[in-house]
Amino acid sequence: MEISSQVVLVTGASRGLGRDTVKAFAREGAKVVINYYSSREKAEKLKEQIGENAVDLQADVRDVNQVKDLFRKAHEYFGRPITTIVNNALVNFRFDPAAKKDASQIGWEDYQTQLEGSVKGSLNTIQAGNPNMKEMEFGRIINIGTNLFQNPVVPYHDYTTSKAALLGMTRNMAQELGQYGITVNMVSGGLLKATDASSATSQEVFQLIEASTPLRKVTQPSEVADAICFFASPWSRAVTGQNLVVDGGLVKN
C-alpha cells in the first residue's frame, strides 16, 4: 500500500520527533492521526498546518480504553481504519545528563514508568490496531527506539532499558504478525538536536557525538522521520523485525 493511501497514527506527535514524523507522512500524502497526552495547543497548531488530512486526538497510550477510543474516533473521522502505527510517545522523561539518577539512585519505579510508556503503550496500540490490520491483510508498525542501549553515551538507565525491551517486543510481534501482512520494525535515533526532550543536553555531550560520528553531525529529527516513512513504504515490504539505527554512523548495527 502506498503511503498516500495509509492512515497513520503517531503517538506523542505534538512535538519533537513526533511532530517531524507527522509532517513527513503528511508530505507523502497520508492521513495522519496526531496523538497527544497533554500538549493540546501544540497538537491543534500542527493539525491546522496540515489541514483536513490530519486529526488531533488526546489519549494516554498507557490506558487501553483511551487507546481503543482513539482508534474508533480516527476511523470515524477518516472513514477507514488506521493502517500504520508509529509508537513514539515518551512519558515523563528528559535527556538531562546533570539531573539523571545514577546507579545508586535509580529506583524500580523509574524503570516502571518508562516500561509502561514504551512497552505497555506500544502493546495497547498494536492490539487496538490488529483486528483491522488482519482484515486488510496489511499493517505497518514502527516502534521508536534509541542507539543509547547499544552505545550509552550517557547512561539513562530507565529509558534505555525500556527501549531494549521494546526491541524484544518488536521482534516477537514481527514473528507472529508477519503471516497477516503486518510488518513490525524499529527506528533508533540517538540524541537528536534538538527536541524538547533533548533540550537539557549539554553542548559538551553534543560535541562528543559530533566528534565520534562519521558524518560529523548530530542527527536531526527530520532525518529520523524520513527513515520512519521508509518502513511504511512499499520499498520495505520484505523487511520486518529489524532495528534501523539512524545516527550518522555512530553505532554500526
Side-chain angles (χ1 to χ4, degrees), residues 146-154 156 188-193 201 204-220 223-224 243-253:
T146 181
N147 71 354
L148 289 170
F149 69 76
Q150 295 158 292
N151 183 36
V153 177
V154 178
Y156 294 112
S188 294
L191 286 171
L192 305 179
K193 192 174 183 180
T201 300
E204 288 76 14
V205 171
F206 280 131
Q207 288 169 3
L208 174 63
I209 294 171
E210 289 177 353
S212 306
T213 300
L215 293 183
R216 297 296 190 269
K217 63 188 289 291
V218 178
T219 306
Q220 305 291 314
E223 295 170 322
V224 179
N243 176 31
L244 178 61
V245 180
V246 184
D247 66 358
L250 180 63
V251 170
K252 297 171 179 67
N253 213 18

Side-chain angles (χ1 to χ4, degrees), residues 7-197:
V7 177
V8 182
L9 165 64
V10 182
T11 68
S14 63
R15 56 198 180 99
L17 175 59
R19 181 182 59 224
D20 278 71
T21 301
V22 166
K23 290 180 178 179
F25 275 108
R27 179 194 69 212
E28 300 301 319
K31 311 292 186 186
V32 188
V33 182
I34 303 168
N35 163 249
Y36 66 96
Y37 176 53
S38 59
S39 303
R40 179 183 298 274
E41 290 185 6
K42 291 181 179 179
E44 290 176 346
K45 183 177 180 180
L46 183 57
K47 187 260 184 291
E48 289 174 3
Q49 291 175 0
I50 296 172
E52 63 182 12
N53 279 348
V55 60
D56 54 303
L57 296 174
Q58 192 277 339
D60 182 345
V61 296
R62 297 167 295 183
D63 187 313
V64 65
N65 291 321
Q66 290 187 37
V67 171
K68 289 179 179 177
D69 195 47
L70 180 151
F71 274 72
R72 178 184 58 79
K73 289 178 179 177
H75 195 158
E76 290 176 355
Y77 183 86
F78 290 119
R80 46 199 171 101
I82 289 170
T83 64
T84 306
I85 300 168
V86 181
N87 285 310
N88 170 72
L90 180 63
V91 176
N92 298 330
F93 190 84
R94 292 188 74 211
F95 298 99
D96 187 342
K100 79 170 190 66
K101 295 180 180 180
D102 65 20
S104 65
Q105 298 168 321
I106 195 80
W108 174 243
E109 64 276 7
D110 299 305
Y111 283 98
Q112 193 166 28
T113 296
Q114 293 310 311
L115 286 165
E116 287 185 348
S118 290
V119 181
K120 184 179 182 181
S122 298
L123 177 64
N124 287 340
T125 61
I126 292 169
Q127 289 183 336
N130 262 210
N132 284 318
M133 288 182 177
K134 288 179 179 179
E135 185 176 340
M136 292 183 292
E137 298 184 341
F138 178 88
R140 295 291 178 264
I141 298 166
I142 303 116
N143 296 325
I144 303 305
T146 181
N147 71 354
L148 289 170
F149 69 76
Q150 295 158 292
N151 183 36
V153 177
V154 178
Y156 294 112
H157 300 279
D158 46 350
Y159 172 77
T160 54
T161 299
S162 73
K163 292 300 186 180
L166 185 59
L167 178 57
M169 172 185 274
T170 298
R171 289 174 173 161
N172 281 279
M173 289 291 182
Q175 182 68 26
E176 182 171 324
L177 299 180
Q179 61 188 307
Y180 305 109
I182 301 168
T183 65
V184 189
N185 290 288
M186 176 177 276
V187 174
S188 294
L191 286 171
L192 305 179
K193 192 174 183 180
T195 65
D196 289 357

